[in-house]
Amino acid sequence: MYYKLYIDSVFILQMTTDLYLLSLAGQIMRRTATRRRLWLGAAVGAGMSCVCLMLPVFTVGARLLFSSLPVSMCMMCLTYQIHGVRSLFRASILMAAAGFFLGGGMIGILNRLRVVMKGGGGLFLTLSAGVLTYLLMRAVLRRLFRRREDNLRTVRVYVPALRQEIRISALVDTGNHLTDPISGAPVSVISGKIARCMASCLAQEKFHAVPYRSVGKQNGILSAYELPELFIEEAGGLLKREHVIVAVCDTGISKDSEYQMILHPGLLEN
């Protein structure tokens, strides 16, 4: 069985899809690029895909499968100036995930549009489905990021050894029910990196052992300490909290996270 492919149509369709994927991946990674770089990355990716399609080796599916990773890595490098194999690999996997949802949405919309248009449309119909799916995914991502930003706070802690305040980006986790087993006071979580910066605040005489449960670990003990005070920036004002207990744990807080503290919602209550 043979299929007739028009390379100009394939290029246009691939470039448009790559443009959507690059835009979505950039929003997820919180990276920006000029329109010129976005179009350059999409055009180069489409060109490389077309070249791979014309290679006289393996099947079409195998060619596309083996070329997808290097093509996406090249696009990410050109568009967002990402360097390093590991970073490019992660970015490409993220782009592939966006492509999975974009493709699924396009198939769903195409099936409905073809019923309405009785099978006509061709390339125009596919491009229209891509636009609708992209706009829908972009709206969902913006809403998710807006909700996430609403849950971010800035915490200020005075560190005696540094003789200055440090500002910590904190995530308000409504699912955080961690409390001190003795006093019942709310317990927030800080990363190991922040703990090292404010080591002079974590006095051993203020040590607490806080039991916890997490996914993959039924029971555990966190090393926690009592801070004399901290300030939470909230709605243009400051909330002062005294004798705040913080536990040191990197679980759920990666080095690349926007936040380095998981704030207990109880600290925001009056």
Side-chain angles (χ1 to χ4, degrees), residues 101-160:
F101 290 104
L102 182 71
M106 287 179 65
I107 291 172
I109 293 174
L110 273 173
N111 289 337
R112 285 167 174 76
L113 289 178
R114 281 179 179 143
V115 172
V116 175
M117 300 183 69
K118 298 180 180 180
L123 180 63
F124 173 76
L125 195 66
T126 306
L127 292 175
S128 300
V131 171
L132 292 174
T133 308
Y134 166 73
L135 292 175
L136 179 62
M137 290 183 66
R138 188 179 67 174
V140 170
L141 284 174
R142 286 182 175 178
R143 184 165 185 177
L144 290 174
F145 284 129
R146 191 176 298 117
R147 288 184 60 184
R148 188 180 184 87
E149 288 171 358
D150 290 341
N151 288 333
L152 288 175
R153 298 291 187 279
T154 298
V155 173
R156 290 157 52 178
V157 180
Y158 179 75
V159 182

Side-chain angles (χ1 to χ4, degrees), residues 6-217:
Y6 295 95
I7 201 66
D8 55 343
S9 298
V10 173
F11 180 83
I12 292 172
L13 181 60
Q14 188 65 46
M15 185 175 70
T16 306
T17 304
D18 289 342
L19 193 63
Y20 295 152
L21 292 178
L22 285 171
S23 178
L24 291 170
Q27 291 178 54
I28 297 172
M29 296 185 299
R30 312 307 293 269
R31 286 178 172 265
T32 58
T34 62
R35 290 183 180 179
R36 186 176 180 178
R37 285 198 172 275
L38 279 170
W39 282 100
L40 175 64
V44 170
M48 292 176 68
S49 297
C50 289
V51 170
C52 292
L53 273 175
M54 294 185 292
L55 292 175
V57 292
F58 307 118
T59 62
V60 173
R63 276 176 259 165
L64 291 176
L65 179 64
F66 289 120
S67 65
S68 59
L69 184 60
V71 169
S72 59
M73 290 174 73
C74 184
M75 286 192 292
M76 282 294 181
C77 182
L78 285 173
T79 305
Y80 295 111
Q81 301 292 290
I82 299 174
H83 302 288
V85 176
R86 186 174 180 180
S87 298
L88 283 171
F89 180 77
R90 289 175 58 189
S92 299
I93 294 298
L94 193 60
M95 186 175 173
F100 174 80
F101 290 104
L102 182 71
M106 287 179 65
I107 291 172
I109 293 174
L110 273 173
N111 289 337
R112 285 167 174 76
L113 289 178
R114 281 179 179 143
V115 172
V116 175
M117 300 183 69
K118 298 180 180 180
L123 180 63
F124 173 76
L125 195 66
T126 306
L127 292 175
S128 300
V131 171
L132 292 174
T133 308
Y134 166 73
L135 292 175
L136 179 62
M137 290 183 66
R138 188 179 67 174
V140 170
L141 284 174
R142 286 182 175 178
R143 184 165 185 177
L144 290 174
F145 284 129
R146 191 176 298 117
R147 288 184 60 184
R148 188 180 184 87
E149 288 171 358
D150 290 341
N151 288 333
L152 288 175
R153 298 291 187 279
T154 298
V155 173
R156 290 157 52 178
V157 180
Y158 179 75
V159 182
L162 300 177
R163 295 183 179 180
Q164 65 182 29
E165 283 185 337
I166 62 171
R167 300 168 70 90
I168 307 169
S169 183
L171 175 70
V172 182
D173 185 4
T174 55
N176 178 14
H177 303 294
L178 201 61
T179 57
D180 181 65
I182 298 175
S183 65
V187 178
S188 299
V189 179
I190 59 175
S191 67
K193 180 180 178 180
I194 292 296
R196 289 189 291 273
C197 293
M198 51 192 293
S200 60
C201 299
L202 310 180
Q204 287 299 323
E205 58 269 20
K206 297 292 184 178
F207 175 82
H208 296 252
V210 178
Y212 78 102
R213 291 182 180 181
S214 65
V215 178
K217 189 167 186 176

Side-chain angles (χ1 to χ4, degrees), residues 221-232:
I221 299 293
L222 291 176
S223 298
Y225 304 87
E226 185 179 306
L227 297 177
E229 62 180 18
L230 62 78
F231 293 90
I232 304 170

